[in-house]
Amino acid sequence: MQFNFKEIFTAFMVLFAVIDIIGNIPIIIDLRKKMGHIQSGKASIIAGVILIMFLFLGKSILNLVGIDVNSFAVAGSFILFFIALEMILGITLYKEEEHSAMSATVFPLAFPLIAGPGSLTTLLSLRAEFSTENIIVAVLLNVIIIFVVLKTSKKIERLIGQNGINIIRKVFGVILLAIAVKLFAHNIKALFDLT
């Protein structure tokens, strides 16, 4: 095991940008309102476990079921697209029948918002460049930041206020929509290049 601070920092920054937990604050606040409560610790741990498992098993799992990384990313872009539409238009497309905090903690919070197609495909590309142990440290550092943001989202909500949340929600909805379109366009192009 050889830890390299530069590799850890680079992998951390790349994952932090892709996961975009700060940008997801309006979604987290919205989910908290819909479900009443979100288990911050469980959401962070589940997301961390998904990310680390995917780091080791990602390509094998996708190959096993006959799915390539690009198809996986295209499917994920649709989920992000619909979440963005909810944010921009103020409509509810995602209906949770049980309204339980645990189900919201796992879907859509831990997956696909935190451990989404962007972060999972990023992990596969980081693995080609960096040592696995450095990527794991970078993932764990991101999980700590995710936990802090999830835990303090109520305070952030009080600080910003309802109007501020509505404005941020719409702005980040457009950004999320742009990310979904970019993810779709990049991966659909890669799929056509493969054929």
Side-chain angles (χ1 to χ4, degrees):
M1 261 196 203
Q2 233 184 341
F3 292 105
N4 181 319
F5 180 75
K6 191 182 174 192
E7 278 193 13
I8 291 167
F9 182 74
T10 307
F12 166 78
M13 289 309 289
V14 169
L15 282 169
F16 183 77
V18 172
I19 293 168
D20 190 25
I21 194 66
I22 306 299
N24 284 328
I25 287 172
I27 305 168
I28 295 160
I29 291 166
D30 197 50
L31 279 172
R32 206 179 278 278
K33 277 194 177 137
K34 280 184 193 172
M35 303 302 168
H37 174 69
I38 286 170
Q39 296 162 330
S40 308
K42 274 188 184 167
S44 307
I45 291 165
I46 290 166
V49 167
I50 291 169
L51 289 167
I52 290 169
M53 278 178 63
F54 200 82
L55 178 66
F56 290 103
L57 306 170
K59 228 168 191 169
S60 309
I61 292 168
L62 293 179
N63 289 342
L64 190 70
V65 290
I67 300 168
D68 58 272
V69 176
N70 301 111
S71 300
F72 181 77
V74 167
S77 71
F78 283 114
I79 294 167
L80 293 177
F81 178 81
F82 289 120
I83 291 168
L85 281 184
E86 280 191 341
M87 291 173 73
I88 297 164
L89 304 175
I91 55 172
T92 305
L93 297 169
Y94 170 72
K95 287 188 173 80
E96 179 54 57
E97 267 139 55
E98 282 181 25
H99 293 293
S100 72
M102 186 59 200
S103 55
T105 298
V106 178
F107 184 88
L109 189 55
F111 180 85
L113 275 179
I114 298 168
S119 50
L120 296 177
T121 48
T122 300
L123 279 174
L124 293 180
S125 58
L126 285 174
R127 190 150 186 218
E129 291 179 57
F130 303 134
S131 305
T132 307
E133 60 266 22
N134 294 328
I135 300 169
I136 292 169
V137 173
V139 168
L140 294 174
L141 290 171
N142 270 291
V143 167
I144 292 164
I145 289 172
I146 288 161
F147 174 73
V148 170
V149 170
L150 290 176
K151 208 73 178 154
T152 58
S153 64
K154 270 189 179 174
K155 287 177 186 166
I156 294 165
E157 181 187 11
R158 276 197 298 271
L159 190 75
I160 298 168
Q162 192 54 53
N163 286 338
I165 289 162
N166 289 339
I167 292 163
I168 291 169
R169 193 166 187 268
K170 301 236 184 283
V171 169
F172 280 110
V174 173
I175 292 166
L176 193 63
L177 191 64
I179 291 167
V181 170
K182 186 183 174 192
L183 196 65
F184 177 82
H186 174 76
N187 287 284
I188 206 82
K189 183 179 177 285
L191 277 173
F192 284 116
D193 288 346
L194 289 171
T195 54

